[in-house]
Amino acid sequence: MAILRKDSVPVTEGVSGYPDPFDLGRGFLSYRHLTEAGGLTQFGIAVETLQPGRQSSQQHWEEHEDEFLYLLEGALTVVEDETETVIHPGDACCWKAGVPVAHVLRNDSDHPATYLIAGSRLPHNVTHYRGIDLVGTPWGYTHLDGTPYPTKGETE
């Protein structure tokens, strides 16, 4: 058993792994990866803080991974396809694997928003990104036609 005391898990600065031109840069969010610190491997849970004026990811849906969010502090705009919903502390979101509802979190406020985020950790998952030429596969990012994007540091 692992007891994780408040603030015992280090904060990690978020760094986008998306290929250009979809890269979100760094510093848009920070997180404490709780399950990783506890040695768990079958699912992932983190406490994330999304900075004002930023978005959490590219708008996406997962083929094989469930995702869950519980808002702790602040306010978030949850974008699901074209629908925008503002959520507040105590509100939760569930995205079922295989349901093609593309979602992204946006912090439209002047204050950081902190939430608990949970998901499966399935190595065979495929992530679809809405409206852009990007697919996340177990082997890396590809264009919609299956052509791989270069890894960071390479050129096309």
Side-chain angles (χ1 to χ4, degrees):
M1 176 174 72
I3 303 294
L4 304 175
R5 299 282 184 193
K6 182 180 178 185
D7 298 331
S8 68
V9 177
V11 174
T12 302
E13 177 186 43
V15 177
S16 174
Y18 296 125
D20 289 331
F22 309 114
D23 194 315
L24 298 174
R26 61 184 321 124
F28 57 100
L29 62 77
S30 60
Y31 59 92
R32 295 177 192 269
H33 205 300
L34 303 177
T35 49
E36 196 167 279
L40 302 182
T41 59
Q42 295 181 13
F43 59 92
I45 296 177
V47 175
E48 291 184 355
T49 299
L50 184 61
Q51 297 304 314
R54 303 302 297 265
Q55 68 184 47
S56 60
S57 63
Q58 296 294 344
Q59 194 173 8
H60 68 283
W61 65 274
E62 312 274 353
E63 276 189 23
H64 302 287
E65 291 196 7
D66 287 339
E67 293 180 275
F68 172 84
L69 176 142
Y70 183 83
L71 188 58
L72 299 168
E73 296 176 13
L76 288 172
T77 301
V78 179
V79 182
E80 295 177 306
D81 292 335
E82 291 92 20
T83 302
E84 297 186 5
T85 305
V86 177
I87 63 170
H88 301 281
D91 293 340
C93 302
C94 297
W95 295 286
K96 184 173 176 46
V99 177
V101 175
H103 56 276
V104 65
L105 309 174
R106 210 175 56 218
N107 185 345
D108 293 331
S109 79
D110 295 330
H111 305 285
T114 300
Y115 48 92
L116 189 72
I117 190 86
S120 313
R121 286 182 143 180
L122 301 174
H124 61 281
N125 187 51
V126 174
T127 305
H128 299 269
Y129 295 90
R130 184 175 189 273
I132 61 177
D133 183 22
L134 186 65
V135 177
T137 74
W139 310 278
Y141 291 107
T142 71
H143 294 270
L144 294 174
D145 68 4
T147 306
Y149 277 95
T151 57
K152 296 275 183 178
E154 293 180 354
T155 58
E156 280 190 277

